[in-house]
Amino acid sequence: MSAPDPSDPLEAATQATRSLQGLSTELTARVPQLLEAMRSVGTGLELHSTLDRICETAAELADARYAAIGVVDEESAGLADFVTYGVTEEQAAAIGHRPDGHKGLLGALIHEPDTVRLADLTSDRRSAGFPPGHPPMRTFLGVPIRVQGEIFGNLYLAEKNGGGEFNDYDLHMVRVLATEAGIAIGNARLYEAARQRERWIDGSVAVTTALLAGGDADDALAVVAEQARHLAASDAGVVLLPAASEEGGLEIVAVSSDSPVSALGVIIPSESPVVAKLLAGEAVFVDDSASDPRMITRLAELYGPSMMLPLHSGGRVLGALATPRARGARPFTEAERTLATQFASQAALALMMAEAQRDRERLAVFEDRDRIARDLHDLVIQRLFATGMMLESAQRQSVVPEVQTGVGKAVDELDVTIQEIRTAIFALQQGPTEAPSGLRTRVLREINMAAVPLGFKPAHRFLGPVDTLVGELTGKNLIAALREALSNAFRHADASRIEVVVDVTAQLADGRDAVRLTVSDDGVGIPDGGRRSGLRNLNRRAESLGGSSWHGPGLEEGPGPGTTVVWEVPL
């Protein structure tokens, strides 16, 4: 005959019933209550709700005011969780931190898991006393809970109702309940582990889908950070990539967090021991970021347990993924560390695939751009040039002044169009590794684009090294200001001549070096009471960069007073 299986609920109940035979009628009368308690404990598969149900059932079974389960951590050195029954929210808030199991009676029961029954726990030599705000407790009963033969934790009962002590009947009942609780907890843990693996797999699929969808790279990295934070139940999800600076290190490029901490752009220096390990492809696990000497940034002071995982695939480290929890939060379990490491590897592989996909798309785009540039140069410009020559010949042969004037204007527009197409060809022929167009090129492009609606090409001058002194942000705003000024001249000035000057040798009134944009026309000027929304836009844009904008009289010898718009900001 095979030996009985203690993990079988029916067998456990049978053995428990046999152990009660021969005992008093009082205990036998409580067997139905015990069986109902065992049925209640075995209901449901969610781990934490199972622990809550065990506490409540044990308290009712032994007629105790308070019950708790202390879940032993993976190292069997303390408590990873502490679930209570009978302690109100106000009492829990007054107590503060839950016990960690490192000292006192609870700590002793971790290292010596055995049944303990006390008439007055405060007089026991192992007791370390209660923290302020803790409700008074004297009578005590503690029973270990084993899951598949290993200690899961301890079931504690305190303060038997009516002022009596926990008796032998209570002890037998709670022991049987602890056996059933071990089985229920084992099932709940298996279910929780399966659900956890499923969530991590779903998260990996979501990340891979987002990265390969062809969207913005920053949005895809934000998805990685958000999924990692959600799956790890952490306070933040952080993606770090190698910094572009000469000093190296890792730069935070994506953050998912409810807290208002601004971490984007923060660089973890290369001298950090954590950075060295991550770039070498090693994971780093920290129990308390605020106190760990390896964490040398100020951000670490905000967090407790943290996982930092390399985004490693194909022998290449693309960056790192960090999932810090709040200070005082529970550490990451071994299962969570394993699942997070697998998630990081999957995310790294998806990143590499997305990068290869974007490279293929960029190559296809540049091939199309080269083909379009060749067609524009070899076909369109040649045909426009030939058409212009035909029009000039017709202009010379015509004797009607109006026809000559009209044909001449058409030839001028063709010249402007040819120049604009040549500018477009130059932009199309820029390779993937070339720097973006300089400010001079962008200014000329705006001028050529404005020439078509204006009917003439504005004159232009550049003073100083425009491309080297003007930064990207200032350059973008200057182009926007130029576009606004040329648009105002076309719509309102009725001008026949416009001059654009970009001067990087200018100075502000306070002596700071500046770039000054001047757009002058010979049009009708700005009438009194006319709309000035465009001028206000120019001024707001300049003020946002610490500069200013104003207007005055325009070019001389025109049909009207003309207008000059000046826009200047510090370099």
Side-chain angles (χ1 to χ4, degrees):
M1 179 182 293
S2 60
D5 182 5
S7 65
D8 180 26
L10 181 59
E11 182 64 33
T14 302
Q15 291 185 19
T17 304
R18 287 173 180 170
S19 68
L20 297 175
Q21 292 177 354
L23 295 178
S24 69
T25 56
E26 178 185 348
L27 184 56
T28 306
R30 295 171 66 182
V31 169
Q33 183 185 5
L34 172 62
L35 293 177
E36 176 60 24
M38 293 171 68
R39 185 203 63 78
S40 174
V41 165
T43 304
L45 288 172
E46 201 278 323
L47 181 57
H48 210 276
S49 64
T50 298
L51 297 179
D52 286 333
R53 198 162 48 251
I54 292 171
C55 285
E56 181 178 359
T57 303
E60 292 174 353
L61 189 64
D63 195 23
R65 184 179 302 174
Y66 304 107
I69 292 178
V71 181
V72 178
D73 61 24
E74 293 180 347
E75 293 79 20
S76 297
L79 296 178
D81 199 2
F82 194 75
V83 180
T84 63
Y85 170 78
V87 178
T88 65
E89 294 183 2
E90 292 76 12
Q91 289 173 326
I95 295 171
H97 289 295
R98 295 184 175 185
D100 55 16
H102 292 158
K103 60 183 179 179
L105 182 58
L106 301 188
L109 292 179
I110 292 174
H111 301 292
E112 300 176 9
D114 201 358
T115 300
V116 175
R117 183 169 47 160
L118 300 172
D120 185 0
L121 66 88
T122 60
S123 62
D124 190 272
R125 59 178 178 80
R126 295 167 293 185
S127 177
F130 296 126
H134 197 286
M137 296 181 184
R138 299 183 69 84
T139 53
F140 178 84
L141 178 61
V143 178
I145 299 176
R146 289 179 170 84
V147 176
Q148 297 177 347
E150 296 183 357
I151 289 294
F152 171 81
N154 290 282
L155 173 60
Y156 315 110
L157 298 169
E159 284 298 285
K160 187 173 178 65
N161 287 317
E165 300 179 16
F166 293 105
N167 54 34
D168 291 340
Y169 308 142
D170 298 323
L171 178 58
H172 281 289
M173 292 285 191
V174 173
R175 275 178 171 170
V176 174
L177 184 65
T179 302
E180 175 63 22
I183 297 171
I185 290 170
N187 293 335
R189 290 174 76 177
L190 290 174
Y191 175 73
E192 186 69 22
R195 285 190 60 197
Q196 192 176 45
R197 283 193 297 271
E198 182 181 356
R199 287 195 298 269
W200 282 93
I201 291 172
D202 290 344
S204 296
V205 171
V207 165
T208 303
T209 303
L211 289 173
L212 298 182
D216 186 82
D218 291 339
D219 292 341
L221 293 175
V223 171
V224 175
E226 175 63 29
Q227 287 291 334
R229 172 197 171 204
H230 171 69
L231 294 169
S234 58
D235 264 30
V238 181
V239 177
L240 305 96
L241 296 181
S245 61
E246 296 181 359
E247 293 78 11
L250 290 172
E251 180 181 357
I252 297 177
V253 297
V255 177
S256 172
S257 175
D258 288 334
S259 61
V261 177
S262 178
L264 277 177
V266 173
I267 295 178
I268 315 300
S270 56
E271 57 266 21
S272 166
V274 171
V275 169
K277 282 186 171 292
L278 290 173
L279 292 179
E282 300 179 29
V284 179
F285 302 103
V286 175
D287 290 333
D288 184 17
S289 300
S291 60
D292 195 299
R294 295 173 296 177
M295 309 293 283
I296 62 176
T297 65
R298 297 187 63 183
L299 285 174
E301 300 173 0
L302 304 174
Y303 300 108
S306 180
M307 292 190 292
M308 286 160 286
L309 311 165
L311 295 172
H312 181 271
S313 181
R316 178 183 169 198
V317 177
L318 305 179
L321 175 65
T323 57
R325 282 178 175 163
R327 297 194 66 177
R330 65 175 180 83
F332 291 97
T333 65
E334 192 63 36
E336 287 174 324
R337 294 181 179 187
T338 301
L339 290 170
T341 301
Q342 294 170 351
F343 173 84
S345 298
Q346 178 66 26
L349 177 60
L351 280 170
M352 290 189 66
M353 294 172 62
E355 184 179 354
Q357 177 176 290
R358 284 193 294 270
D359 287 342
R360 290 193 298 270
E361 292 173 353
R362 279 196 294 265
L363 180 60
V365 169
F366 284 117
E367 288 176 349
D368 280 347
R369 288 171 61 174
D370 286 341
R371 177 184 57 78
I372 294 170
R374 288 194 302 270
D375 290 347
L376 286 174
H377 183 271
D378 297 340
L379 299 176
V380 178
I381 287 184
Q382 296 302 324
R383 288 181 179 179
L384 288 175
F385 187 72
T387 302
M389 293 181 64
M390 292 171 60
L391 288 173
E392 287 180 340
S393 175
Q395 182 185 31
R396 288 192 297 269
Q397 294 174 8
S398 175
V399 295
V400 180
E402 291 81 1
V403 173
Q404 290 181 337
T405 302
V407 171
K409 184 175 292 187
V411 170
D412 291 341
E413 289 193 9
L414 282 177
D415 288 340
V416 171
T417 302
I418 290 172
Q419 180 62 37
E420 184 178 346
I421 293 175
R422 283 175 173 165
T423 301
I425 291 172
F426 174 75
L428 286 170
Q429 289 176 334
Q430 286 188 324
T433 59
E434 294 178 26
S437 299
L439 181 59
R440 183 187 297 264
T441 301
R442 286 181 284 171
V443 168
L444 291 175
R445 188 177 302 151
E446 292 297 325
I447 291 175
N448 288 329
M449 290 175 62
V452 175
L454 285 170
F456 62 91
K457 182 178 179 180
H460 63 273
R461 285 187 297 143
F462 296 98
L463 302 178
V466 172
D467 288 338
T468 57
L469 291 184
V470 180
E472 183 63 24
L473 178 61
T474 301
K476 287 181 179 179
N477 281 275
L478 186 143
I479 293 299
L482 173 61
R483 189 178 300 128
E484 180 79 34
L486 290 174
S487 175
N488 289 340
F490 165 69
R491 289 180 297 171
H492 308 300
D494 193 21
S496 61
R497 188 161 62 98
I498 297 176
E499 183 176 288
V500 176
V501 179
V502 180
D503 182 6
V504 294
T505 65
Q507 286 189 332
L508 300 179
D510 57 9
R512 286 181 294 169
D513 293 334
V515 55
R516 179 179 296 145
L517 168 67
T518 306
V519 180
S520 303
D521 65 61
D522 63 352
V524 298
I526 301 177
D528 295 335
R531 294 182 59 187
R532 286 169 167 74
S533 58
L535 296 175
R536 285 196 295 269
N537 290 338
L538 289 171
N539 194 49
R540 279 196 296 268
R541 191 178 293 276
E543 288 178 347
S544 69
L545 297 174
S548 59
S549 178
W550 67 91
H551 63 277
L555 299 172
E556 297 178 357
E557 301 178 358
T563 304
T564 295
V565 174
V566 180
W567 186 91
E568 62 179 16
V569 296
L571 290 172

